[in-house]
Amino acid sequence: MRPKLTQQQLAEASCVALGTIRKIERGERGVSDSTLEAIADALGIDPARLRSDRESVQTRVHDALPALSAAYDVPDDGPVRPLHELRAVVAAAVSWRLAAQ
C-alpha cells in the first residue's frame, strides 16, 4: 500500500503549484499532458491510469456543448428565446450533468 500524500506534498513532489492541484481535484481546471505526467510520476503510477477517466469526462462535456450553445445562442440584436425558455433549457442541461455524475 502506498503512503497517502497531502495536496501540499503532491504539489512539491510534482513541481506543480498547490493551487493548481486543488483546482484539478475540484474539477475547476483542465490538466495539460505535462502536468498530468508530473503528477503521475510523483504518485509513482502510469499516466494512463489518470487519463482514462479524463477522456470520459471530456466526452461528456463535448456531448453537452450543443445543448448549452443552444441555450445561450444570443445574436447581437437580443435574445431569440424568452427568459423562461432559456431557464428551462439551462435546467435541463444541469439535470443532465448531475445525472451523468
Side-chain angles (χ1 to χ4, degrees), residues 14-55:
S14 62
C15 297
V16 174
L18 177 60
T20 300
I21 296 288
R22 289 180 175 158
K23 287 177 183 178
I24 291 168
E25 283 193 2
R26 290 190 305 252
E28 295 174 357
R29 178 192 164 129
V31 166
S32 68
D33 289 336
S34 60
T35 300
L36 190 75
E37 289 175 18
I39 292 170
D41 187 47
L43 294 171
I45 61 172
D46 182 0
R49 287 187 60 195
L50 299 175
R51 283 192 181 104
S52 62
D53 184 52
R54 180 178 172 212
E55 290 171 7

PDB file of all heavy atoms in Angstrom, residues 14-55:
ATOM      1  N   SER A  14       5.595  16.935  -7.410  1.00  0.00           N
ATOM      2  CA  SER A  14       5.353  17.025  -8.852  1.00  0.00           C
ATOM      3  C   SER A  14       5.797  18.362  -9.452  1.00  0.00           C
ATOM      4  O   SER A  14       5.744  18.541 -10.667  1.00  0.00           O
ATOM      5  CB  SER A  14       3.869  16.816  -9.148  1.00  0.00           C
ATOM      6  OG  SER A  14       3.088  17.830  -8.542  1.00  0.00           O
ATOM      7  N   CYS A  15       6.220  19.296  -8.592  1.00  0.00           N
ATOM      8  CA  CYS A  15       6.600  20.652  -9.028  1.00  0.00           C
ATOM      9  C   CYS A  15       5.433  21.352  -9.728  1.00  0.00           C
ATOM     10  O   CYS A  15       5.590  22.044 -10.736  1.00  0.00           O
ATOM     11  CB  CYS A  15       7.831  20.613  -9.934  1.00  0.00           C
ATOM     12  SG  CYS A  15       9.296  19.986  -9.102  1.00  0.00           S
ATOM     13  N   VAL A  16       4.233  21.125  -9.196  1.00  0.00           N
ATOM     14  CA  VAL A  16       3.016  21.769  -9.688  1.00  0.00           C
ATOM     15  C   VAL A  16       2.494  22.629  -8.542  1.00  0.00           C
ATOM     16  O   VAL A  16       2.507  22.206  -7.389  1.00  0.00           O
ATOM     17  CB  VAL A  16       1.966  20.708 -10.109  1.00  0.00           C
ATOM     18  CG1 VAL A  16       0.654  21.358 -10.489  1.00  0.00           C
ATOM     19  CG2 VAL A  16       2.506  19.845 -11.248  1.00  0.00           C
ATOM     20  N   ALA A  17       2.042  23.817  -8.863  1.00  0.00           N
ATOM     21  CA  ALA A  17       1.560  24.729  -7.823  1.00  0.00           C
ATOM     22  C   ALA A  17       0.421  24.106  -7.024  1.00  0.00           C
ATOM     23  O   ALA A  17      -0.430  23.406  -7.580  1.00  0.00           O
ATOM     24  CB  ALA A  17       1.093  26.041  -8.453  1.00  0.00           C
ATOM     25  N   LEU A  18       0.403  24.363  -5.730  1.00  0.00           N
ATOM     26  CA  LEU A  18      -0.629  23.833  -4.847  1.00  0.00           C
ATOM     27  C   LEU A  18      -2.025  24.243  -5.315  1.00  0.00           C
ATOM     28  O   LEU A  18      -2.956  23.438  -5.334  1.00  0.00           O
ATOM     29  CB  LEU A  18      -0.386  24.292  -3.404  1.00  0.00           C
ATOM     30  CG  LEU A  18      -1.429  23.882  -2.370  1.00  0.00           C
ATOM     31  CD1 LEU A  18      -1.555  22.363  -2.289  1.00  0.00           C
ATOM     32  CD2 LEU A  18      -1.065  24.457  -1.005  1.00  0.00           C
ATOM     33  N   GLY A  19      -2.185  25.493  -5.715  1.00  0.00           N
ATOM     34  CA  GLY A  19      -3.478  25.969  -6.207  1.00  0.00           C
ATOM     35  C   GLY A  19      -3.936  25.189  -7.432  1.00  0.00           C
ATOM     36  O   GLY A  19      -5.121  24.901  -7.594  1.00  0.00           O
ATOM     37  N   THR A  20      -3.002  24.835  -8.288  1.00  0.00           N
ATOM     38  CA  THR A  20      -3.326  24.045  -9.479  1.00  0.00           C
ATOM     39  C   THR A  20      -3.802  22.655  -9.080  1.00  0.00           C
ATOM     40  O   THR A  20      -4.801  22.159  -9.605  1.00  0.00           O
ATOM     41  CB  THR A  20      -2.101  23.956 -10.411  1.00  0.00           C
ATOM     42  OG1 THR A  20      -1.727  25.275 -10.808  1.00  0.00           O
ATOM     43  CG2 THR A  20      -2.396  23.112 -11.636  1.00  0.00           C
ATOM     44  N   ILE A  21      -3.105  22.033  -8.148  1.00  0.00           N
ATOM     45  CA  ILE A  21      -3.505  20.705  -7.658  1.00  0.00           C
ATOM     46  C   ILE A  21      -4.931  20.774  -7.108  1.00  0.00           C
ATOM     47  O   ILE A  21      -5.770  19.930  -7.419  1.00  0.00           O
ATOM     48  CB  ILE A  21      -2.542  20.193  -6.563  1.00  0.00           C
ATOM     49  CG1 ILE A  21      -1.129  19.997  -7.121  1.00  0.00           C
ATOM     50  CG2 ILE A  21      -3.077  18.925  -5.899  1.00  0.00           C
ATOM     51  CD1 ILE A  21      -0.954  18.820  -8.043  1.00  0.00           C
ATOM     52  N   ARG A  22      -5.214  21.787  -6.316  1.00  0.00           N
ATOM     53  CA  ARG A  22      -6.546  21.927  -5.715  1.00  0.00           C
ATOM     54  C   ARG A  22      -7.628  22.096  -6.782  1.00  0.00           C
ATOM     55  O   ARG A  22      -8.688  21.484  -6.712  1.00  0.00           O
ATOM     56  CB  ARG A  22      -6.574  23.102  -4.748  1.00  0.00           C
ATOM     57  CG  ARG A  22      -5.796  22.827  -3.489  1.00  0.00           C
ATOM     58  CD  ARG A  22      -5.820  23.992  -2.543  1.00  0.00           C
ATOM     59  NE  ARG A  22      -5.154  23.628  -1.301  1.00  0.00           N
ATOM     60  CZ  ARG A  22      -4.643  24.486  -0.452  1.00  0.00           C
ATOM     61  NH1 ARG A  22      -4.738  25.784  -0.674  1.00  0.00           N
ATOM     62  NH2 ARG A  22      -4.049  24.068   0.644  1.00  0.00           N
ATOM     63  N   LYS A  23      -7.359  22.945  -7.780  1.00  0.00           N
ATOM     64  CA  LYS A  23      -8.344  23.180  -8.835  1.00  0.00           C
ATOM     65  C   LYS A  23      -8.567  21.926  -9.676  1.00  0.00           C
ATOM     66  O   LYS A  23      -9.694  21.646 -10.081  1.00  0.00           O
ATOM     67  CB  LYS A  23      -7.897  24.334  -9.724  1.00  0.00           C
ATOM     68  CG  LYS A  23      -8.025  25.678  -9.045  1.00  0.00           C
ATOM     69  CD  LYS A  23      -7.520  26.796  -9.925  1.00  0.00           C
ATOM     70  CE  LYS A  23      -7.594  28.119  -9.184  1.00  0.00           C
ATOM     71  NZ  LYS A  23      -7.062  29.214 -10.000  1.00  0.00           N
ATOM     72  N   ILE A  24      -7.519  21.170  -9.920  1.00  0.00           N
ATOM     73  CA  ILE A  24      -7.653  19.922 -10.685  1.00  0.00           C
ATOM     74  C   ILE A  24      -8.527  18.943  -9.912  1.00  0.00           C
ATOM     75  O   ILE A  24      -9.437  18.328 -10.471  1.00  0.00           O
ATOM     76  CB  ILE A  24      -6.267  19.311 -10.985  1.00  0.00           C
ATOM     77  CG1 ILE A  24      -5.505  20.193 -11.975  1.00  0.00           C
ATOM     78  CG2 ILE A  24      -6.410  17.878 -11.519  1.00  0.00           C
ATOM     79  CD1 ILE A  24      -4.042  19.834 -12.111  1.00  0.00           C
ATOM     80  N   GLU A  25      -8.278  18.802  -8.624  1.00  0.00           N
ATOM     81  CA  GLU A  25      -9.063  17.863  -7.811  1.00  0.00           C
ATOM     82  C   GLU A  25     -10.529  18.268  -7.738  1.00  0.00           C
ATOM     83  O   GLU A  25     -11.404  17.414  -7.699  1.00  0.00           O
ATOM     84  CB  GLU A  25      -8.482  17.753  -6.396  1.00  0.00           C
ATOM     85  CG  GLU A  25      -7.245  16.900  -6.343  1.00  0.00           C
ATOM     86  CD  GLU A  25      -6.845  16.528  -4.930  1.00  0.00           C
ATOM     87  OE1 GLU A  25      -7.553  16.900  -3.966  1.00  0.00           O
ATOM     88  OE2 GLU A  25      -5.813  15.868  -4.783  1.00  0.00           O
ATOM     89  N   ARG A  26     -10.813  19.563  -7.731  1.00  0.00           N
ATOM     90  CA  ARG A  26     -12.202  20.028  -7.674  1.00  0.00           C
ATOM     91  C   ARG A  26     -12.859  20.055  -9.050  1.00  0.00           C
ATOM     92  O   ARG A  26     -14.050  20.331  -9.172  1.00  0.00           O
ATOM     93  CB  ARG A  26     -12.262  21.437  -7.063  1.00  0.00           C
ATOM     94  CG  ARG A  26     -11.953  21.473  -5.587  1.00  0.00           C
ATOM     95  CD  ARG A  26     -12.267  22.825  -4.971  1.00  0.00           C
ATOM     96  NE  ARG A  26     -11.601  23.931  -5.629  1.00  0.00           N
ATOM     97  CZ  ARG A  26     -10.585  24.627  -5.117  1.00  0.00           C
ATOM     98  NH1 ARG A  26     -10.120  24.327  -3.917  1.00  0.00           N
ATOM     99  NH2 ARG A  26     -10.040  25.625  -5.780  1.00  0.00           N
ATOM    100  N   GLY A  27     -12.086  19.784 -10.087  1.00  0.00           N
ATOM    101  CA  GLY A  27     -12.625  19.797 -11.432  1.00  0.00           C
ATOM    102  C   GLY A  27     -12.808  21.188 -11.991  1.00  0.00           C
ATOM    103  O   GLY A  27     -13.543  21.383 -12.952  1.00  0.00           O
ATOM    104  N   GLU A  28     -12.137  22.167 -11.416  1.00  0.00           N
ATOM    105  CA  GLU A  28     -12.272  23.556 -11.851  1.00  0.00           C
ATOM    106  C   GLU A  28     -11.276  23.919 -12.938  1.00  0.00           C
ATOM    107  O   GLU A  28     -11.318  25.006 -13.479  1.00  0.00           O
ATOM    108  CB  GLU A  28     -12.059  24.503 -10.660  1.00  0.00           C
ATOM    109  CG  GLU A  28     -13.115  24.370  -9.594  1.00  0.00           C
ATOM    110  CD  GLU A  28     -12.806  25.196  -8.364  1.00  0.00           C
ATOM    111  OE1 GLU A  28     -11.731  25.846  -8.306  1.00  0.00           O
ATOM    112  OE2 GLU A  28     -13.630  25.185  -7.445  1.00  0.00           O
ATOM    113  N   ARG A  29     -10.364  23.003 -13.220  1.00  0.00           N
ATOM    114  CA  ARG A  29      -9.302  23.291 -14.178  1.00  0.00           C
ATOM    115  C   ARG A  29      -8.950  22.024 -14.928  1.00  0.00           C
ATOM    116  O   ARG A  29      -8.927  20.939 -14.361  1.00  0.00           O
ATOM    117  CB  ARG A  29      -8.083  23.801 -13.426  1.00  0.00           C
ATOM    118  CG  ARG A  29      -6.923  24.074 -14.335  1.00  0.00           C
ATOM    119  CD  ARG A  29      -5.657  24.283 -13.561  1.00  0.00           C
ATOM    120  NE  ARG A  29      -4.573  24.164 -14.513  1.00  0.00           N
ATOM    121  CZ  ARG A  29      -3.621  25.044 -14.648  1.00  0.00           C
ATOM    122  NH1 ARG A  29      -3.573  26.082 -13.873  1.00  0.00           N
ATOM    123  NH2 ARG A  29      -2.684  24.872 -15.549  1.00  0.00           N
ATOM    124  N   GLY A  30      -8.660  22.187 -16.194  1.00  0.00           N
ATOM    125  CA  GLY A  30      -8.183  21.072 -17.001  1.00  0.00           C
ATOM    126  C   GLY A  30      -6.721  20.785 -16.687  1.00  0.00           C
ATOM    127  O   GLY A  30      -6.061  21.539 -15.971  1.00  0.00           O
ATOM    128  N   VAL A  31      -6.221  19.705 -17.247  1.00  0.00           N
ATOM    129  CA  VAL A  31      -4.854  19.287 -16.975  1.00  0.00           C
ATOM    130  C   VAL A  31      -4.123  19.103 -18.292  1.00  0.00           C
ATOM    131  O   VAL A  31      -4.614  18.399 -19.173  1.00  0.00           O
ATOM    132  CB  VAL A  31      -4.857  17.958 -16.188  1.00  0.00           C
ATOM    133  CG1 VAL A  31      -3.512  17.303 -16.171  1.00  0.00           C
ATOM    134  CG2 VAL A  31      -5.339  18.169 -14.782  1.00  0.00           C
ATOM    135  N   SER A  32      -2.958  19.735 -18.421  1.00  0.00           N
ATOM    136  CA  SER A  32      -2.139  19.529 -19.610  1.00  0.00           C
ATOM    137  C   SER A  32      -1.458  18.170 -19.489  1.00  0.00           C
ATOM    138  O   SER A  32      -1.342  17.600 -18.391  1.00  0.00           O
ATOM    139  CB  SER A  32      -1.082  20.623 -19.741  1.00  0.00           C
ATOM    140  OG  SER A  32      -0.129  20.506 -18.696  1.00  0.00           O
ATOM    141  N   ASP A  33      -1.002  17.651 -20.608  1.00  0.00           N
ATOM    142  CA  ASP A  33      -0.316  16.355 -20.586  1.00  0.00           C
ATOM    143  C   ASP A  33       0.933  16.401 -19.721  1.00  0.00           C
ATOM    144  O   ASP A  33       1.213  15.460 -18.976  1.00  0.00           O
ATOM    145  CB  ASP A  33       0.048  15.911 -22.007  1.00  0.00           C
ATOM    146  CG  ASP A  33      -1.168  15.502 -22.813  1.00  0.00           C
ATOM    147  OD1 ASP A  33      -2.191  15.125 -22.196  1.00  0.00           O
ATOM    148  OD2 ASP A  33      -1.103  15.543 -24.052  1.00  0.00           O
ATOM    149  N   SER A  34       1.687  17.505 -19.778  1.00  0.00           N
ATOM    150  CA  SER A  34       2.920  17.581 -18.986  1.00  0.00           C
ATOM    151  C   SER A  34       2.621  17.615 -17.484  1.00  0.00           C
ATOM    152  O   SER A  34       3.326  16.987 -16.689  1.00  0.00           O
ATOM    153  CB  SER A  34       3.749  18.797 -19.392  1.00  0.00           C
ATOM    154  OG  SER A  34       3.031  19.990 -19.194  1.00  0.00           O
ATOM    155  N   THR A  35       1.563  18.324 -17.083  1.00  0.00           N
ATOM    156  CA  THR A  35       1.173  18.366 -15.672  1.00  0.00           C
ATOM    157  C   THR A  35       0.691  16.997 -15.221  1.00  0.00           C
ATOM    158  O   THR A  35       1.047  16.520 -14.139  1.00  0.00           O
ATOM    159  CB  THR A  35       0.085  19.420 -15.431  1.00  0.00           C
ATOM    160  OG1 THR A  35       0.599  20.703 -15.814  1.00  0.00           O
ATOM    161  CG2 THR A  35      -0.360  19.461 -13.987  1.00  0.00           C
ATOM    162  N   LEU A  36      -0.099  16.340 -16.064  1.00  0.00           N
ATOM    163  CA  LEU A  36      -0.602  15.009 -15.740  1.00  0.00           C
ATOM    164  C   LEU A  36       0.552  14.028 -15.554  1.00  0.00           C
ATOM    165  O   LEU A  36       0.559  13.236 -14.612  1.00  0.00           O
ATOM    166  CB  LEU A  36      -1.536  14.534 -16.852  1.00  0.00           C
ATOM    167  CG  LEU A  36      -2.319  13.273 -16.569  1.00  0.00           C
ATOM    168  CD1 LEU A  36      -3.446  13.576 -15.599  1.00  0.00           C
ATOM    169  CD2 LEU A  36      -2.868  12.700 -17.854  1.00  0.00           C
ATOM    170  N   GLU A  37       1.533  14.115 -16.425  1.00  0.00           N
ATOM    171  CA  GLU A  37       2.694  13.228 -16.317  1.00  0.00           C
ATOM    172  C   GLU A  37       3.507  13.524 -15.057  1.00  0.00           C
ATOM    173  O   GLU A  37       3.993  12.602 -14.392  1.00  0.00           O
ATOM    174  CB  GLU A  37       3.546  13.336 -17.570  1.00  0.00           C
ATOM    175  CG  GLU A  37       2.872  12.696 -18.773  1.00  0.00           C
ATOM    176  CD  GLU A  37       3.631  12.897 -20.071  1.00  0.00           C
ATOM    177  OE1 GLU A  37       4.832  13.222 -20.024  1.00  0.00           O
ATOM    178  OE2 GLU A  37       3.005  12.719 -21.120  1.00  0.00           O
ATOM    179  N   ALA A  38       3.644  14.799 -14.691  1.00  0.00           N
ATOM    180  CA  ALA A  38       4.387  15.156 -13.479  1.00  0.00           C
ATOM    181  C   ALA A  38       3.674  14.620 -12.235  1.00  0.00           C
ATOM    182  O   ALA A  38       4.317  14.097 -11.314  1.00  0.00           O
ATOM    183  CB  ALA A  38       4.545  16.673 -13.389  1.00  0.00           C
ATOM    184  N   ILE A  39       2.348  14.724 -12.221  1.00  0.00           N
ATOM    185  CA  ILE A  39       1.576  14.218 -11.085  1.00  0.00           C
ATOM    186  C   ILE A  39       1.675  12.694 -11.014  1.00  0.00           C
ATOM    187  O   ILE A  39       1.887  12.128  -9.942  1.00  0.00           O
ATOM    188  CB  ILE A  39       0.106  14.686 -11.171  1.00  0.00           C
ATOM    189  CG1 ILE A  39       0.029  16.200 -10.953  1.00  0.00           C
ATOM    190  CG2 ILE A  39      -0.771  13.946 -10.163  1.00  0.00           C
ATOM    191  CD1 ILE A  39      -1.328  16.808 -11.245  1.00  0.00           C
ATOM    192  N   ALA A  40       1.546  12.036 -12.151  1.00  0.00           N
ATOM    193  CA  ALA A  40       1.647  10.573 -12.181  1.00  0.00           C
ATOM    194  C   ALA A  40       3.024  10.121 -11.721  1.00  0.00           C
ATOM    195  O   ALA A  40       3.146   9.149 -10.960  1.00  0.00           O
ATOM    196  CB  ALA A  40       1.355  10.057 -13.590  1.00  0.00           C
ATOM    197  N   ASP A  41       4.070  10.824 -12.140  1.00  0.00           N
ATOM    198  CA  ASP A  41       5.426  10.482 -11.725  1.00  0.00           C
ATOM    199  C   ASP A  41       5.580  10.639 -10.213  1.00  0.00           C
ATOM    200  O   ASP A  41       6.165   9.784  -9.541  1.00  0.00           O
ATOM    201  CB  ASP A  41       6.432  11.360 -12.464  1.00  0.00           C
ATOM    202  CG  ASP A  41       7.870  10.943 -12.209  1.00  0.00           C
ATOM    203  OD1 ASP A  41       8.150   9.727 -12.297  1.00  0.00           O
ATOM    204  OD2 ASP A  41       8.705  11.823 -11.928  1.00  0.00           O
ATOM    205  N   ALA A  42       5.020  11.717  -9.664  1.00  0.00           N
ATOM    206  CA  ALA A  42       5.094  11.941  -8.215  1.00  0.00           C
ATOM    207  C   ALA A  42       4.336  10.859  -7.450  1.00  0.00           C
ATOM    208  O   ALA A  42       4.725  10.486  -6.341  1.00  0.00           O
ATOM    209  CB  ALA A  42       4.537  13.318  -7.872  1.00  0.00           C
ATOM    210  N   LEU A  43       3.260  10.343  -8.044  1.00  0.00           N
ATOM    211  CA  LEU A  43       2.472   9.289  -7.402  1.00  0.00           C
ATOM    212  C   LEU A  43       3.049   7.904  -7.655  1.00  0.00           C
ATOM    213  O   LEU A  43       2.618   6.924  -7.050  1.00  0.00           O
ATOM    214  CB  LEU A  43       1.023   9.336  -7.903  1.00  0.00           C
ATOM    215  CG  LEU A  43       0.222  10.567  -7.517  1.00  0.00           C
ATOM    216  CD1 LEU A  43      -1.120  10.586  -8.256  1.00  0.00           C
ATOM    217  CD2 LEU A  43       0.004  10.621  -6.006  1.00  0.00           C
ATOM    218  N   GLY A  44       3.996   7.825  -8.597  1.00  0.00           N
ATOM    219  CA  GLY A  44       4.601   6.540  -8.924  1.00  0.00           C
ATOM    220  C   GLY A  44       3.667   5.624  -9.697  1.00  0.00           C
ATOM    221  O   GLY A  44       3.687   4.410  -9.503  1.00  0.00           O
ATOM    222  N   ILE A  45       2.826   6.223 -10.548  1.00  0.00           N
ATOM    223  CA  ILE A  45       1.891   5.423 -11.338  1.00  0.00           C
ATOM    224  C   ILE A  45       2.033   5.769 -12.815  1.00  0.00           C
ATOM    225  O   ILE A  45       2.606   6.798 -13.168  1.00  0.00           O
ATOM    226  CB  ILE A  45       0.428   5.635 -10.895  1.00  0.00           C
ATOM    227  CG1 ILE A  45       0.001   7.099 -11.072  1.00  0.00           C
ATOM    228  CG2 ILE A  45       0.224   5.175  -9.459  1.00  0.00           C
ATOM    229  CD1 ILE A  45      -1.469   7.353 -10.831  1.00  0.00           C
ATOM    230  N   ASP A  46       1.492   4.911 -13.653  1.00  0.00           N
ATOM    231  CA  ASP A  46       1.484   5.139 -15.089  1.00  0.00           C
ATOM    232  C   ASP A  46       0.490   6.261 -15.401  1.00  0.00           C
ATOM    233  O   ASP A  46      -0.651   6.224 -14.932  1.00  0.00           O
ATOM    234  CB  ASP A  46       1.064   3.843 -15.791  1.00  0.00           C
ATOM    235  CG  ASP A  46       1.066   3.945 -17.296  1.00  0.00           C
ATOM    236  OD1 ASP A  46       1.388   5.019 -17.848  1.00  0.00           O
ATOM    237  OD2 ASP A  46       0.748   2.928 -17.938  1.00  0.00           O
ATOM    238  N   PRO A  47       0.882   7.267 -16.190  1.00  0.00           N
ATOM    239  CA  PRO A  47      -0.042   8.365 -16.507  1.00  0.00           C
ATOM    240  C   PRO A  47      -1.338   7.892 -17.157  1.00  0.00           C
ATOM    241  O   PRO A  47      -2.363   8.556 -17.033  1.00  0.00           O
ATOM    242  CB  PRO A  47       0.764   9.242 -17.476  1.00  0.00           C
ATOM    243  CG  PRO A  47       2.188   8.917 -17.210  1.00  0.00           C
ATOM    244  CD  PRO A  47       2.214   7.493 -16.749  1.00  0.00           C
ATOM    245  N   ALA A  48      -1.320   6.761 -17.800  1.00  0.00           N
ATOM    246  CA  ALA A  48      -2.542   6.237 -18.433  1.00  0.00           C
ATOM    247  C   ALA A  48      -3.638   5.990 -17.408  1.00  0.00           C
ATOM    248  O   ALA A  48      -4.821   6.104 -17.728  1.00  0.00           O
ATOM    249  CB  ALA A  48      -2.230   4.955 -19.192  1.00  0.00           C
ATOM    250  N   ARG A  49      -3.279   5.670 -16.170  1.00  0.00           N
ATOM    251  CA  ARG A  49      -4.297   5.463 -15.119  1.00  0.00           C
ATOM    252  C   ARG A  49      -5.060   6.746 -14.832  1.00  0.00           C
ATOM    253  O   ARG A  49      -6.229   6.706 -14.468  1.00  0.00           O
ATOM    254  CB  ARG A  49      -3.646   4.960 -13.834  1.00  0.00           C
ATOM    255  CG  ARG A  49      -3.201   3.522 -13.934  1.00  0.00           C
ATOM    256  CD  ARG A  49      -2.728   2.986 -12.629  1.00  0.00           C
ATOM    257  NE  ARG A  49      -3.771   3.037 -11.618  1.00  0.00           N
ATOM    258  CZ  ARG A  49      -3.542   2.898 -10.324  1.00  0.00           C
ATOM    259  NH1 ARG A  49      -2.318   2.695  -9.890  1.00  0.00           N
ATOM    260  NH2 ARG A  49      -4.524   2.955  -9.456  1.00  0.00           N
ATOM    261  N   LEU A  50      -4.418   7.874 -14.992  1.00  0.00           N
ATOM    262  CA  LEU A  50      -5.081   9.153 -14.747  1.00  0.00           C
ATOM    263  C   LEU A  50      -5.827   9.642 -15.981  1.00  0.00           C
ATOM    264  O   LEU A  50      -6.775  10.400 -15.867  1.00  0.00           O
ATOM    265  CB  LEU A  50      -4.054  10.214 -14.327  1.00  0.00           C
ATOM    266  CG  LEU A  50      -3.269   9.914 -13.048  1.00  0.00           C
ATOM    267  CD1 LEU A  50      -2.215  10.978 -12.826  1.00  0.00           C
ATOM    268  CD2 LEU A  50      -4.202   9.812 -11.860  1.00  0.00           C
ATOM    269  N   ARG A  51      -5.414   9.203 -17.148  1.00  0.00           N
ATOM    270  CA  ARG A  51      -6.024   9.667 -18.397  1.00  0.00           C
ATOM    271  C   ARG A  51      -7.350   8.995 -18.701  1.00  0.00           C
ATOM    272  O   ARG A  51      -8.208   9.582 -19.313  1.00  0.00           O
ATOM    273  CB  ARG A  51      -5.082   9.423 -19.565  1.00  0.00           C
ATOM    274  CG  ARG A  51      -3.969  10.403 -19.644  1.00  0.00           C
ATOM    275  CD  ARG A  51      -3.248  10.290 -20.975  1.00  0.00           C
ATOM    276  NE  ARG A  51      -2.172  11.233 -21.030  1.00  0.00           N
ATOM    277  CZ  ARG A  51      -0.900  10.925 -20.896  1.00  0.00           C
ATOM    278  NH1 ARG A  51      -0.533   9.678 -20.731  1.00  0.00           N
ATOM    279  NH2 ARG A  51       0.014  11.858 -20.932  1.00  0.00           N
ATOM    280  N   SER A  52      -7.560   7.765 -18.305  1.00  0.00           N
ATOM    281  CA  SER A  52      -8.759   7.039 -18.724  1.00  0.00           C
ATOM    282  C   SER A  52     -10.035   7.756 -18.298  1.00  0.00           C
ATOM    283  O   SER A  52     -10.946   7.934 -19.095  1.00  0.00           O
ATOM    284  CB  SER A  52      -8.750   5.614 -18.190  1.00  0.00           C
ATOM    285  OG  SER A  52      -8.749   5.626 -16.777  1.00  0.00           O
ATOM    286  N   ASP A  53     -10.124   8.213 -17.062  1.00  0.00           N
ATOM    287  CA  ASP A  53     -11.315   8.929 -16.602  1.00  0.00           C
ATOM    288  C   ASP A  53     -11.409  10.299 -17.260  1.00  0.00           C
ATOM    289  O   ASP A  53     -12.474  10.773 -17.569  1.00  0.00           O
ATOM    290  CB  ASP A  53     -11.305   9.068 -15.081  1.00  0.00           C
ATOM    291  CG  ASP A  53     -12.576   9.717 -14.572  1.00  0.00           C
ATOM    292  OD1 ASP A  53     -13.659   9.237 -14.948  1.00  0.00           O
ATOM    293  OD2 ASP A  53     -12.482  10.704 -13.841  1.00  0.00           O
ATOM    294  N   ARG A  54     -10.272  10.902 -17.486  1.00  0.00           N
ATOM    295  CA  ARG A  54     -10.222  12.233 -18.093  1.00  0.00           C
ATOM    296  C   ARG A  54     -10.886  12.215 -19.468  1.00  0.00           C
ATOM    297  O   ARG A  54     -11.619  13.120 -19.819  1.00  0.00           O
ATOM    298  CB  ARG A  54      -8.765  12.672 -18.199  1.00  0.00           C
ATOM    299  CG  ARG A  54      -8.563  14.023 -18.810  1.00  0.00           C
ATOM    300  CD  ARG A  54      -7.085  14.352 -18.806  1.00  0.00           C
ATOM    301  NE  ARG A  54      -6.866  15.563 -19.551  1.00  0.00           N
ATOM    302  CZ  ARG A  54      -5.781  15.817 -20.236  1.00  0.00           C
ATOM    303  NH1 ARG A  54      -4.804  14.961 -20.259  1.00  0.00           N
ATOM    304  NH2 ARG A  54      -5.649  16.939 -20.880  1.00  0.00           N
ATOM    305  N   GLU A  55     -10.642  11.171 -20.245  1.00  0.00           N
ATOM    306  CA  GLU A  55     -11.226  11.099 -21.580  1.00  0.00           C
ATOM    307  C   GLU A  55     -12.744  10.977 -21.513  1.00  0.00           C
ATOM    308  O   GLU A  55     -13.445  11.580 -22.299  1.00  0.00           O
ATOM    309  CB  GLU A  55     -10.612   9.936 -22.351  1.00  0.00           C
ATOM    310  CG  GLU A  55      -9.155  10.204 -22.717  1.00  0.00           C
ATOM    311  CD  GLU A  55      -8.456   8.995 -23.286  1.00  0.00           C
ATOM    312  OE1 GLU A  55      -9.115   7.973 -23.520  1.00  0.00           O
ATOM    313  OE2 GLU A  55      -7.243   9.079 -23.499  1.00  0.00           O
TER     314      GLU A  55
END
